[in-house]
């Protein structure tokens, strides 16, 4: 059996992103979900890998990065850590931590490197902004959200059966 698909509404519930954000991000190329043009309107479906990308984007924005910088970081992560996005089930238990180093003098250039406490302190002393990026935490949050989604879905089905 293949990877499950989620509607825009389900993706919104799982990731905590609004449906409007999902639509905007889709238009901006953050994630390209599967689109089924058949039926009424256009049905958009997200895979778990898509949900991971959405979760990463939401995390980056929560750090206070603007959309363009967040998209640049996401693209760099895709280039540097391809497994991070292609098959997240294979790498979700990898506790690889990065740090994002924001260079404001170079027009918001972002450098992504393995997390190093000494380097982080040095960069902070030099006036750079530092943000941690622990993909294992993002994976875990997504996994928790998926489990909660399936629990709620199951309990709703049970509620419907008892009301009949």
């Amino acid at each position: 059996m293949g990877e499950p698909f989620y509607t825009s509404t389900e993706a919104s519930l799982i990731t905590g992103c609004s449906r409007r954000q999902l639509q905007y991000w889709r238009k901006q190329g953050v994630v390209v979900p599967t689109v089924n043009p058949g039926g009424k309107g256009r049905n958009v479906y997200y895979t778990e890998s898509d949900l991971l990308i959405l979760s990463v984007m939401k995390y980056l924005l929560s750090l206070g990065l603007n959309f363009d910088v967040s998209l640049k970081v996401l693209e760099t992560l895709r280039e540097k850590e391809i497994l991070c996005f292609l098959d997240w089930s294979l790498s979700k238990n990898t506790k690889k931590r990065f740090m994002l180093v924001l260079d404001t003098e170079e027009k918001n250039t972002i450098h992504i490197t393995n997390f190093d406490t000494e380097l982080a302190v040095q960069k902070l002393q030099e006036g750079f902004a530092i943000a941690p990026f622990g993909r294992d935490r993002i994976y875990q949050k997504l996994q928790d959200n998926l489990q909660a989604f399936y629990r709620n879905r199951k309990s709703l089905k049970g509620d419907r059966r008892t009301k009949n």
Side-chain angles (χ1 to χ4, degrees):
M1 192 161 141
E3 188 175 11
F5 287 96
Y6 302 91
T7 65
S8 292
T9 301
E10 292 169 335
S12 175
L13 289 170
I14 293 166
T15 62
C17 300
S18 71
R19 289 187 65 198
R20 178 69 187 112
Q21 272 180 312
L22 297 180
Q23 183 182 27
Y24 178 74
W25 293 355
R26 192 168 59 242
K27 286 180 182 176
Q28 298 302 315
V30 172
V31 69
V32 182
T34 302
V35 177
N36 178 4
K40 296 180 181 177
R42 288 175 19 148
N43 297 321
V44 177
Y45 298 100
Y46 295 87
T47 63
E48 287 184 358
S49 296
D50 295 335
L51 297 180
L52 175 63
I53 292 168
L54 296 172
S55 297
V56 169
M57 188 65 168
K58 183 174 180 182
Y59 172 76
L60 294 171
L61 291 168
S62 76
L63 294 175
L65 301 175
N66 68 34
F67 179 83
D68 292 332
V69 172
S70 295
L71 186 57
K72 186 176 182 179
V73 170
L74 186 65
E75 289 168 357
T76 303
L77 284 169
R78 283 178 170 150
E79 291 168 12
K80 284 186 133 187
E81 292 292 321
I82 194 97
L83 276 180
C84 183
F85 298 106
L86 283 184
D87 191 351
W88 72 280
S89 62
L90 290 178
S91 58
K92 67 182 171 186
N93 293 323
T94 305
K95 293 188 191 274
K96 191 156 190 176
R97 299 249 165 86
F98 300 98
M99 62 183 188
L100 312 174
V101 181
L102 177 62
D103 186 346
T104 54
E105 290 182 12
E106 290 183 30
K107 299 199 186 233
N108 292 332
T109 301
I110 295 274
H111 303 280
I112 301 170
T113 184
N114 290 329
F115 191 86
D116 178 324
T117 305
E118 289 178 24
L119 180 60
V121 169
Q122 175 190 341
K123 291 296 183 183
L124 285 169
Q125 289 172 340
E126 292 172 4
F128 291 87
I130 305 292
F133 182 84
R135 72 180 187 194
D136 56 314
R137 291 181 184 208
I138 295 170
Y139 288 129
Q140 188 58 54
K141 183 171 173 64
L142 178 57
Q143 191 65 35
D144 293 346
N145 290 351
L146 282 166
Q147 288 173 357
F149 171 76
Y150 282 114
R151 268 194 313 274
N152 291 339
R153 191 178 191 187
K154 194 174 186 179
S155 69
L156 286 175
K157 285 182 182 180
D159 288 347
R160 285 188 205 136
R161 286 189 203 128
T162 57
K163 288 181 182 178
N164 292 334

